[in-house]
Amino acid sequence: MSEAAGLIYSLIPKVSAAIGVIPKVQENTSQHFKFRGIDQFLNAAHKAFNEHGIFTTAEVLDRVREERPSRSGGVMLTTVLRVRYTFYAPDGSHVATITEGEGMDSGDKATAKAMSVSAKYAYAFTFNVPTEDIIDGDADDPGAHVIAPSKKPAKVVI
């Protein structure tokens, strides 16, 4: 890696390691699926960013808002944002990523929800944040994970 590339590229793996795993521990009570909330990302990244001198900025590139009827007969506001997140290192070097987020709300929170979704994915993909501990393949017998090849010839499809 050349020094011309900037500090940000050497800090990303360090910040990734400092953030660690962010498991899906929150649950949506309506559809009963587990997810990782934006607060989990911000709390995990805060310490890692401060430790390595990284900060981020967000720039909304595009916004689409629509009104949709809700099940109860009211109005549901939907906001879709396209946002560029730029992560800066102490030497001024930076890396940017563009993500989209969609939020729906019957009040004034659709934009905040869309921003949270887009931020969560910017952090997750820039810093390769896993949802669970990664199993080290060399921790046990590497042959235990290998499936013996079939003795049948492969079927050729033309």
Side-chain angles (χ1 to χ4, degrees):
M1 176 184 313
S2 74
E3 288 185 12
L7 188 58
I8 191 68
Y9 295 102
S10 64
L11 288 180
I12 287 175
K14 293 175 183 174
V15 169
S16 177
I19 290 173
V21 173
I22 300 179
K24 292 182 177 183
V25 294
Q26 296 185 27
E27 185 174 330
N28 173 296
T29 55
S30 298
Q31 289 87 23
H32 303 289
F33 63 85
K34 295 215 178 272
F35 67 96
R36 302 184 289 179
I38 185 61
D39 292 340
Q40 290 174 271
F41 278 91
L42 295 176
N43 290 337
H46 176 77
K47 183 178 180 195
F49 281 19
N50 285 342
E51 183 178 311
H52 296 287
I54 287 182
F55 71 94
T56 187
T57 60
E59 175 187 4
V60 175
L61 302 174
D62 190 38
R63 181 183 87 154
V64 176
R65 286 180 62 95
E66 295 178 352
E67 289 185 6
R68 297 179 184 175
S70 69
R71 288 185 223 171
S72 64
V75 175
M76 185 68 71
L77 298 174
T78 301
T79 301
V80 178
L81 299 176
R82 191 166 177 255
V83 185
R84 176 181 342 194
Y85 292 88
T86 306
F87 300 91
Y88 292 91
D91 69 348
S93 61
H94 58 276
V95 65
T97 187
I98 297 172
T99 59
E100 290 190 3
E102 181 175 350
M104 292 175 45
D105 196 74
S106 60
D108 64 348
K109 306 280 185 293
T111 299
K113 289 177 178 181
M115 198 73 181
S116 293
V117 170
S118 68
K120 186 167 61 170
Y121 287 105
Y123 281 57
F125 292 127
T126 301
F127 298 99
N128 299 309
V129 179
T131 58
E132 58 187 41
D133 285 327
I134 298 168
I135 298 170
D136 183 354
D138 293 332
D140 59 9
D141 178 8
H145 303 288
V146 177
I147 298 172
S150 171
K151 295 189 183 206
K152 293 181 185 178
K155 186 185 261 185
V156 178
V157 179
I158 299 177

